[in-house]
Amino acid sequence: MTNQDFYSFPPSSKKAWIDQVKKDLKGKDFDEALSSRLWNEIKIQPFYTSEDLEAPRAQFKFHPVSPIPGVSPRIWSNLVSIFPDNEKDANQEILQSLQNGADGLALHLDGTENLNQILKAVHTEFISTNFLPTGETALSFHMIQDWIESVHLKPSMLNGAVLWSPCDELFRSGENFNSGISQAAQAIHDFKEFREFYPMTIDLSRYANAGGTGIQELTFGLGEVIELIDHLSKKAISPTQVFENLAFHTAVGDSHFAEIAKVKALRKLVLELASNYGVQIEMESIHIITSTSEWSKSVLDKNTNLIRQTYEAMAGILGGSNSLWVKPAEGKNASILEKRIARNVSTILKEESYLDKVMDPAAGSYYLETLQGEIEKSVITALQELEDKGGWLKSFEERSLHKEIRASRVSAQKKVLADSQIKVGANKYLAKGKLEKHLPFENIIEKDFELLPSRATYFVEQNTLNKA
């Protein structure tokens, strides 16, 4: 233990520091000069001390300790996007990815594929296998079940999730919620023995990628959970069964420290929500998938997108991601090089930045701990207001949640257009000459029930590329 007499400086209170700063500002307003607002809601102070913490916070556990001796304390799966237009080619891509840093898959499937061919020679017991239905959901579930039966897959040999929930059906067509609830109840029954596989995933990322704030993302995402519990109870599915079969998918944007606090807050809020239903779950049993943001990227500067991927991935890991999904900005049309870079981000953060050496490196930070607490309070207040107004489903049917997300989206896009918010490569420090690499631009046309992914730089892109 360090001898306290070593420190010869007398302790100073936060008030004393603030008073000194005010003198140095020579009449300038302290808050106006040094404070800011996160997501137009949470005040960010210029510095934090132990006085800002209501009580010491314990280190989070993001997952159980590995039973394998010598494994690092922090573990996450590195997911890669797979679009199997050609099943044999997709299989080769999967095997090549798994041999070069990936240990998880995000399979985009319409339900008509041959999984035996796509996953040929893939040892699913050692990786995270995630299925994202792009067509009729029932077909995808039948396909997964047929594959499990055909290869005689034991429950312990399948880890991952189906990246779908009944709420997704509403954003696809504006209807089919009740049929989605029936599908969810059936999936919970069908996969009850697969303890490490989650047949439903709450897609919080839809709100963030459509331009919503972190508060809105958590509020509406947890609102979906409440709605599912209420409707699944009519199918004789208990809250315990719901929480045991749910994964959570959140998008990590470019507000680095705020995103770390947001992901940690999500885990804490899920734990508290479960407790409110009388469900006792362990913090480390909550499965969170973090993907790099689509909202933060720009089609004006391909190279800067690669940098954003890295610090967003870092925030996801520090926030407690169980599966890290670095999405290539070009999506399905990504080049071999871009896919390789996306895949290698996780490896670099593990092998060269050593982010796997400590379970919760952010624990103890006065700033992050305080920020996490403020996020939790804001979400709880917003969630109570949402329930008072009739709940998530009513807000969807009345399109009030769409209105709220779109208002945040347009506000942010106008700030970028007016240069009041800087986006490198879009409205400041533009790439020139050989470095200039624009991606294809398409106008986003959104139906009233949809919340489509957009970008903070969308208005700038319209002005720049539509004139080109």
Side-chain angles (χ1 to χ4, degrees):
M1 179 180 292
T2 304
N3 185 347
Q4 294 299 317
D5 293 337
F6 176 81
Y7 301 101
S8 59
F9 301 102
S12 296
S13 66
K14 183 169 184 176
K15 182 179 182 303
W17 278 104
I18 292 175
D19 289 342
Q20 181 60 50
V21 171
K22 287 181 177 178
K23 290 180 182 179
D24 294 340
L25 287 174
K26 298 178 180 179
K28 292 182 180 179
D29 183 85
F30 178 85
D31 284 334
E32 185 177 333
L34 299 176
S35 298
S36 60
R37 290 236 163 232
L38 172 66
W39 301 321
N40 298 317
E41 188 165 343
I42 298 175
K43 181 180 178 181
I44 303 296
Q45 301 178 32
F47 69 97
Y48 293 82
T49 72
S50 59
E51 296 176 35
D52 293 294
L53 297 180
E54 296 177 357
R57 289 186 176 234
Q59 182 178 178
F60 276 27
K61 288 187 70 176
F62 302 137
H63 51 75
V65 176
S66 173
I68 304 174
V71 173
S72 294
R74 181 72 173 95
I75 303 168
W76 66 86
S77 298
N78 180 19
L79 306 187
V80 292
S81 303
I82 302 294
F83 300 87
D85 290 334
N86 181 290
E87 293 165 354
K88 289 186 178 180
D89 290 345
N91 177 250
Q92 290 302 308
E93 181 181 355
I94 288 170
L95 295 177
Q96 195 270 341
S97 297
L98 295 176
Q99 292 166 358
N100 289 276
D103 47 21
L105 307 172
L107 297 165
H108 297 66
L109 305 169
D110 64 18
T112 62
E113 295 86 357
N114 181 352
L115 279 180
N116 293 69
Q117 175 60 55
I118 293 172
L119 295 173
K120 184 179 180 180
V122 175
H123 295 278
T124 56
E125 63 268 34
F126 300 121
I127 66 171
S128 175
T129 308
N130 301 273
F131 304 93
L132 197 164
T134 60
E136 187 178 336
T137 306
L139 279 178
S140 294
F141 274 106
H142 287 312
M143 176 186 64
I144 297 169
Q145 287 280 33
D146 290 344
W147 165 68
I148 289 173
E149 292 174 6
S150 67
V151 296
H152 307 290
L153 204 67
K154 296 179 181 179
S156 60
M157 298 173 69
L158 184 61
N159 309 291
V162 179
L163 305 179
W164 167 89
S165 85
C167 299
D168 296 354
E169 302 296 336
L170 287 171
F171 287 102
R172 287 182 181 181
S173 63
E175 50 191 20
N176 297 329
F177 183 66
N178 289 331
S179 61
I181 291 293
S182 298
Q183 179 66 68
Q186 184 63 45
I188 289 173
H189 177 269
D190 291 342
F191 291 96
K192 61 185 177 183
E193 295 181 3
F194 292 77
R195 306 311 306 156
E196 298 300 320
F197 186 78
Y198 303 88
M200 290 189 297
T201 301
I202 298 297
D203 185 12
L204 299 91
S205 72
R206 84 168 99 250
Y207 304 108
N209 286 327
T213 68
I215 302 299
Q216 292 169 331
E217 181 186 7
L218 298 189
T219 299
F220 291 125
L222 293 175
E224 289 186 26
V225 178
I226 295 171
E227 204 68 59
L228 291 183
I229 291 173
D230 290 348
H231 282 77
L232 284 168
S233 66
K234 300 171 186 177
K235 300 287 184 180
I237 301 294
S238 69
T240 299
Q241 290 174 290
V242 174
F243 282 103
E244 288 178 346
N245 287 276
L246 269 185
F248 299 85
H249 173 205
T250 177
V252 177
D254 53 8
S255 296
H256 183 69
F257 294 107
E259 295 294 340
I260 296 172
K262 183 192 78 176
V263 179
K264 292 189 70 176
L266 171 60
R267 189 176 294 271
K268 179 77 175 300
L269 289 165
V270 170
L271 195 69
E272 292 180 358
L273 182 60
S275 179
N276 289 340
Y277 280 97
V279 179
Q280 300 302 314
I281 57 175
E282 300 295 328
M283 177 177 286
E284 57 266 36
S285 70
I286 299 169
H287 189 80
I288 296 178
I289 302 165
T290 60
S291 62
T292 49
S293 171
E294 296 177 54
W295 169 255
S296 68
K297 306 303 181 294
S298 172
V299 301
L300 291 170
D301 188 1
K302 178 179 178 179
N303 293 331
T304 304
N305 288 335
L306 303 179
I307 299 172
R308 293 190 177 105
Q309 282 181 341
T310 303
Y311 62 73
E312 289 170 5
M314 183 177 177
I317 295 168
L318 295 177
S321 171
N322 300 108
S323 291
L324 174 65
W325 185 6
V326 179
K327 291 184 175 181
E330 293 185 72
K332 185 177 182 178
N333 299 317
S335 65
I336 294 175
L337 176 61
E338 188 181 0
K339 290 178 182 178
R340 177 187 172 191
I341 292 173
R343 185 178 68 242
N344 285 348
V345 168
S346 176
T347 303
I348 291 171
L349 293 176
K350 181 182 295 182
E351 302 294 340
E352 297 187 19
S353 299
Y354 306 110
L355 295 191
D356 65 332
K357 302 306 179 187
V358 178
M359 176 66 78
D360 184 8
S365 165
Y366 300 143
Y367 172 37
L368 288 174
E369 297 282 18
T370 304
L371 184 55
Q372 179 190 329
E374 291 297 318
I375 292 173
E376 290 169 7
K377 290 177 185 177
S378 296
V379 172
I380 290 172
T381 300
L383 201 53
Q384 289 171 340
E385 292 175 354
L386 179 66
E387 290 304 303
D388 289 342
K389 293 176 181 177
W392 182 88
L393 185 58
K394 185 176 181 180
S395 72
F396 178 92
E397 292 171 343
E398 295 179 347
R399 305 295 188 258
S400 58
L401 76 80
H402 301 74
K403 183 178 179 181
E404 190 174 331
I405 296 293
R406 286 166 184 156
S408 294
R409 173 203 299 168
V410 172
S411 174
Q413 290 171 334
K414 284 183 176 179
K415 288 178 181 178
V416 176
L417 183 63
D419 293 345
S420 59
Q421 182 176 333
I422 301 304
K423 293 290 288 186
V424 173
N427 63 358
K428 192 74 171 178
Y429 309 115
L430 275 65
K432 301 294 182 182
K434 292 182 179 179
L435 293 177
E436 188 176 45
K437 293 184 178 180
H438 294 166
L439 299 177
F441 173 82
E442 293 183 5
N443 288 308
I444 298 173
I445 302 173
E446 192 176 60
K447 297 177 181 177
D448 72 308
F449 57 81
E450 294 179 318
L451 279 179
L452 297 180
S454 187
R455 298 174 295 277
T457 56
Y458 182 69
F459 289 168
V460 178
E461 294 165 5
Q462 277 185 321
N463 282 0
T464 304
L465 300 180
N466 279 352
K467 295 177 180 178

